[in-house]
Amino acid sequence: KKGTIMSSTKFGGLALFSAGVISTIFFVIQFLAQAPDTSSASNVWEVFVSDNNSLDDWWYGLTTYIQVFTNAIIAYVFVIIVNEFVRSKIESNSIRMGSILFLIGTLGFITAGSVDVALNYTGETPNANQFSLSSLQFGMWMIFTPIAFAGGGLIAHALSKVPGYNNLICLGTAIINAIAAIVIVVQVIFISDANDPSTIWGIFIPVVLAFLVSNLFNLYIGYKLTKE
């Protein structure tokens, strides 16, 4: 049984590291190609649509599917493998709650990915005062992203207590995820204005920073798990 658990842990580490590498590469590519362009947009939704149309159809579709599959793999490793691994080392409530929140957030990301496909095919021109696929996707991102960051932060916090795992890296990731989750919620509730495209930066910046840190954290945890 011990050999099976170790084998599963190493497999999870390899899967997480591989998914982390792929996710980081495509995240950087999408960041460079799809950074918000607020110069010509009259509302937030137009920023999302211009982002969606900034890549060739085939490339946009490919990146969407890659993101969905890598998110699914990362969720599997953290919710199943890492959860079991941490609970075999320490008693932690953080890993339990974090796993559930991270799973919910990831399911939201995957669902939002399906809206990406619909946007790519419809090429809609949304209005800030009307319901649209872009506004639906925006709402999904703004609900599920803080949930995923909160879950990831709790998982990182739990890993910081596991012997052999760098406390600074784990706690740093947990803090950045927590800050990003709070900033997004505050920005959406009190600051963002659908008719003012420039307010999207208050959401975009913390999301990008937290995703980048989380991707690097995935690489670190994946590598460490392969050594277990």
Side-chain angles (χ1 to χ4, degrees):
K1 183 176 181 180
K2 184 177 180 181
T4 302
I5 293 175
M6 293 299 290
S7 178
S8 297
T9 303
K10 290 180 184 294
F11 172 78
L14 180 61
L16 181 60
F17 187 86
S18 300
V21 170
I22 296 172
S23 179
T24 301
I25 292 173
F26 280 87
F27 175 78
V28 171
I29 292 174
Q30 284 202 309
F31 170 73
L32 294 175
Q34 295 183 279
D37 180 8
T38 60
S39 59
S40 59
S42 61
N43 59 66
V44 168
W45 316 140
E46 287 184 5
V47 176
F48 273 81
V49 172
S50 65
D51 288 348
N52 292 334
N53 293 333
S54 63
L55 300 175
D56 291 336
D57 288 349
W58 70 270
W59 179 253
Y60 178 75
L62 175 63
T63 57
T64 297
Y65 277 106
I66 288 175
Q67 284 184 326
V68 166
F69 278 105
T70 54
N71 281 335
I73 292 171
I74 292 170
Y76 159 74
V77 175
F78 276 119
V79 174
I80 304 297
I81 304 297
V82 174
N83 187 347
E84 180 181 350
F85 169 73
V86 171
R87 293 172 67 178
S88 71
K89 299 290 185 179
I90 62 172
E91 183 65 27
S92 173
N93 291 319
S94 296
I95 194 66
R96 295 184 179 92
M97 181 178 291
S99 296
I100 294 299
L101 292 177
F102 192 77
L103 177 61
I104 293 172
T106 302
L107 290 175
F109 290 160
I110 293 173
T111 306
S114 67
V115 179
D116 266 335
V117 175
L119 281 169
N120 196 40
Y121 276 93
T122 60
E124 67 174 21
T125 303
N127 185 298
N129 299 314
Q130 294 179 356
F131 178 82
S132 64
L133 286 174
S134 295
S135 63
L136 171 63
Q137 186 183 50
F138 179 82
M140 294 171 66
W141 278 112
M142 293 308 101
I143 290 295
F144 290 110
T145 300
I147 292 176
F149 284 159
L154 287 170
I155 292 173
H157 175 266
L159 282 163
S160 72
K161 299 181 179 299
V162 176
Y165 284 71
N166 189 288
N167 193 269
L168 180 62
I169 292 176
C170 294
L171 284 181
T173 301
I175 292 171
I176 290 173
N177 278 0
I179 293 174
I182 294 171
V183 169
I184 292 168
V185 171
V186 171
Q187 184 79 17
V188 170
I189 295 176
F190 299 107
I191 302 175
S192 291
D193 181 357
N195 292 293
D196 183 1
S198 64
T199 60
I200 197 67
W201 286 104
I203 298 171
F204 181 77
I205 292 174
V207 167
V208 168
L209 290 177
F211 264 116
L212 179 59
V213 169
S214 294
N215 279 329
L216 296 176
F217 177 73
N218 293 343
L219 295 177
Y220 170 71
I221 297 301
Y223 171 78
K224 291 290 291 183
L225 289 176
T226 61
K227 303 301 180 181
E228 293 293 339

